[in-house]
Structure formats: structure tokens, C-alpha cells
Amino acid sequence: METIEFGHGVPPMSRIVYGAWRLSDDHDTTPDHVLEKIELCLAQGITTFDHADIYGDYECEALFGRALRNRPDLRDTMQIVTKCGIMAMSDKFPRRRVKHYDTSAAHIRNSVEVALGQLGFDVIDLLLIHRPDPFLDHHETGAALDALVDEGKVRGIGVSNFMPWDIDLLQSAMTHPILTNQIEINLVNKAAFTNGQIARAQRDGAPPMAWSPLAGGSMFYPGDQVGKRVMPRLTEIAADQGVSAEAVAVAWLLAHPARIVPVVGTNSLKRIERIADALKVTLDRQTWFELWSLAEGDEVP
Ligand SMILES: NC(=O)c1ccc[n+]([C@@H]2O[C@H](COP(=O)([O-])OP(=O)(O)OC[C@H]3O[C@@H](n4cnc5c(N)ncnc54)[C@H](OP(=O)(O)O)[C@@H]3O)[C@@H](O)[C@H]2O)c1
């Protein structure tokens, strides 16, 4: 599979990334089944895996790590992205009274140590601050992130759900560059194309990562308004090009000049198996806008 360069010592990542958020929602969370999904990804060249400390009520990083216990050799073939900063409510933290953000140096450092231990890796390839923190001390957070890179625990730093001004603030207190912003981008939520997030990524030459590239599946639900408008054309393109409708929706992101990196989240082995087909799809400018207009319910102004 084609790879994507974030530069600055971060290894090339696969053009499509597999997200681990829903791993614990699957009917089968045994190490063997998780490994099956990982192996299906790797077989297609999806070598980059996206995590966060909070996924699956703080369980997904450990599920992933356990799945690799019998195949430690696979670790050298993968890249790991993980995130921290959200303090979710959980029985595991009974003293936590309110969901909040913590971007303090101590919390970030602890999250990295926990992630490395649970995943069973020596280094995190990209560490993202999960959400912009309204209580951010950019000097403290920036210095903590820089130090983790300098110490070799993390290869590169990114952010998630940041607006351009949030990136400016954190970057102003860092020496290492912010290499990506992981944001929601899909046919149902196209805001990033016009709210400055993608424009900023293009200006920085920093490929954005797109979470929920299939809008979390909602575009496939029969009652979904955007889905109703988009699905007939998606299905037609899919049939013409011999791929699935999911692959076409992912290809719509891949086609964009910002070099968007979709982070797919299906648990279905069948869907995982066909997702790399997205790279075979060709969408010209007018077809891209045709899907945009169908999603919007109107032509561009
Ligand atoms: N940074 C952030 O704030 C943030 C937020 C959310 C997610 N993420 C990352 O992004 C990754 C992907 O998010 P996502 O899981 O929402 O991505 P997604 O790929 O848009 O959605 C996956 C969901 O769509 C369903 N789906 C796919 N095709 C379908 C179809 N034809 N019909 C019905 N349902 C269908 C899947 O169900 P099946 O499993 O049955 O296929 C699954 O539940 C996450 O794993 C996480 O790593 C990041």
C-alpha cells in the first residue's frame, strides 16, 4: 500500500489507518479475534493503528497488546498512533467527579508510560492531544511533548479536533512540529473543508487524519438524510469500479489534495478485507463535487 510521510523522524504510515476505538464493542474481543483483524489489515498494507487511552473504557490498548503477545514479530511491521488528554468517567477512576481534560506534563507522561506498557511497544510513533483543552498551559504541555520526543518515547506529536488557533498556541511553545490534526471528515460532516482545519493542514503540509470516514456508519442507515441522497450514486460508482460503497466513501477523502489519511473503524472482517480497495478508486473533480453536492443537498454556490 502507498504510504504517507509525516516527516521529522516519524516512519512512513499507511495511507489508510485502522482505528481501535470500537475493538471492545465487537461480539468477540478474544486475543485471537483481535489478531485476525490486525492480520487482515497488515495483509492489505494497513500498517498504522490508531488508539487512545480512553477507548473501550480504557481497555482497547490492552486488548491490542494482548492480541500481539503471541506474534511479537508483527510489532516491527506497524506504526502506533495514540492520544491522551481526555479524563473520561469510568468505574476505573472512582474519584473522578466530572469528565474533563488534563494536558498537564504529569498526565501526558503517565499516559505514554501506560500506553507503552499496555500495547507492548517501546515507542509511540505519533502521540496526539485528543481535544483542545480550555484549561491549557501551552508552555507546560509544549515542553512535556518536546521532552517525550527528545527522550525517544514518542517519535512525533500531533493533535486532534484542534482549530487552527489551538494549533498556533500549542506550537508557539514547542520546538518539535505538530505533524497532524486528526479531525472528523466524511460526507456527512464536511465542516473541516470550510472551517479552516483542512486549509491549515494544507498550509502546513501536514496531512490531516480523518476520523469516522464513514460517519460512524450512519450514512448507511436507511433513515439517514445524507445517506439517502448520496448512497445511490456511491453504489453506482462502486459497481462501476468493482469495489464496495464504503471504499468509494473512503476514496472521496483520499482524492483530496490535502493528503487526508482516513482512519477506518469497522469491526467486520468482511469490510476490513475490502477497505484498501479505496486506493483503486478514481474520482475526478466533477464526481468529487457530485458527491459533495448530493451530501449537501444543493449545488455549490
Ligand atoms: N480523534 C477523535 O476524536 C476520534 C473520534 C472518533 C473516532 N476516532 C478514530 O477514528 C476511528 C474510526 O472511527 P469510526 O469507527 O467512527 O469510523 P467509521 O469507519 O466511519 O465507522 C465505523 C462504523 O461504521 C459501521 N459501518 C461501516 N460500514 C457500514 C455499513 N455498510 N452499514 C452499517 N454500518 C457500517 C461499522 O460497523 P461494523 O463494525 O459492523 O462494520 C462501525 O460501527 C476510531 O476507531 C478511532 O481510532 C477518533
Side-chain angles (χ1 to χ4, degrees):
M1 176 179 291
E2 203 184 305
T3 56
I4 192 121
E5 296 284 347
F6 291 88
H8 302 272
V10 172
M13 303 226 167
S14 51
R15 194 68 180 78
I16 297 174
V17 169
Y18 184 75
W21 174 33
R22 299 180 194 268
L23 274 188
S24 64
D25 298 345
D26 203 351
H27 65 282
D28 185 349
T29 58
T30 57
D32 282 350
H33 189 65
V34 176
L35 182 61
E36 203 177 346
K37 286 187 254 187
I38 295 171
E39 286 179 324
L40 264 186
C41 287
L42 294 176
Q44 305 171 67
I46 298 177
T47 57
T48 307
F49 294 85
D50 181 70
H51 292 266
D53 51 356
I54 58 169
Y55 287 170
D57 191 24
Y58 294 88
E59 295 283 349
C60 285
E61 287 180 333
L63 277 180
F64 194 88
R66 275 199 290 278
L68 291 174
R69 235 176 241 165
N70 293 330
R71 289 299 310 276
D73 53 305
L74 294 182
R75 289 198 170 86
D76 293 338
T77 67
M78 317 178 157
Q79 304 81 43
I80 294 293
V81 181
T82 194
K83 319 179 197 76
C84 65
I86 300 180
M87 309 295 273
M89 296 302 283
S90 164
D91 291 344
K92 297 184 177 75
F93 301 99
R95 293 172 61 194
R96 201 169 281 174
R97 288 181 290 112
V98 60
K99 184 178 183 186
H100 62 285
Y101 300 140
D102 189 345
T103 50
S104 66
H107 178 67
I108 293 171
R109 186 165 282 279
N110 182 255
S111 302
V112 167
E113 295 296 348
V114 171
L116 290 172
Q118 310 228 62
L119 291 160
F121 280 73
D122 299 329
V123 57
I124 306 284
D125 293 295
L126 266 180
L127 176 70
L128 316 184
I129 297 296
H130 207 151
R131 293 261 165 193
D133 176 1
F135 201 70
L136 178 78
D137 177 339
H138 59 298
H139 295 294
E140 177 178 345
T141 306
L145 294 170
D146 276 342
L148 286 164
V149 177
D150 292 338
E151 290 165 26
K153 290 194 185 293
V154 164
R155 290 204 167 95
I157 300 298
V159 292
S160 181
N161 304 298
F162 271 42
M163 294 303 287
W165 49 86
D166 301 315
I167 297 176
D168 283 339
L169 179 63
L170 183 56
Q171 187 66 82
S172 73
M174 289 179 65
T175 53
H176 292 289
I178 292 174
L179 299 174
T180 190
N181 188 11
Q182 186 179 113
I183 49 184
E184 182 177 11
I185 325 173
N186 54 58
L187 278 158
V188 177
N189 184 352
K190 306 188 282 20
F193 290 106
T194 51
N195 70 4
Q197 287 177 310
I198 289 180
R200 173 59 188 261
Q202 286 185 280
R203 195 202 77 180
D204 290 350
M209 301 177 91
W211 58 260
S212 293
L214 304 177
S218 69
M219 56 197 285
F220 296 94
Y221 305 161
D224 185 77
Q225 291 310 309
V226 175
K228 269 190 205 163
R229 295 194 297 267
V230 167
M231 210 45 69
R233 185 65 181 125
L234 269 189
T235 312
E236 193 177 61
I237 299 168
D240 279 353
Q241 304 204 22
V243 300
S244 63
E246 291 88 344
V248 179
V250 170
W252 187 77
L253 299 173
L254 293 171
H256 193 274
R259 297 181 296 150
I260 295 170
V261 179
V263 185
V264 299
T266 174
N267 268 318
S268 146
L269 298 180
K270 270 195 182 148
R271 289 201 247 273
I272 295 176
E273 210 164 23
R274 296 196 66 192
I275 208 70
D277 282 354
L279 288 157
K280 295 188 213 154
V281 175
T282 53
L283 297 175
D284 61 19
R285 187 181 291 262
Q286 289 201 52
T287 313
W288 195 88
F289 275 102
E290 201 181 351
L291 291 170
W292 172 287
S293 305
L294 288 166
E296 189 69 20
D298 203 353
E299 63 181 11
V300 293

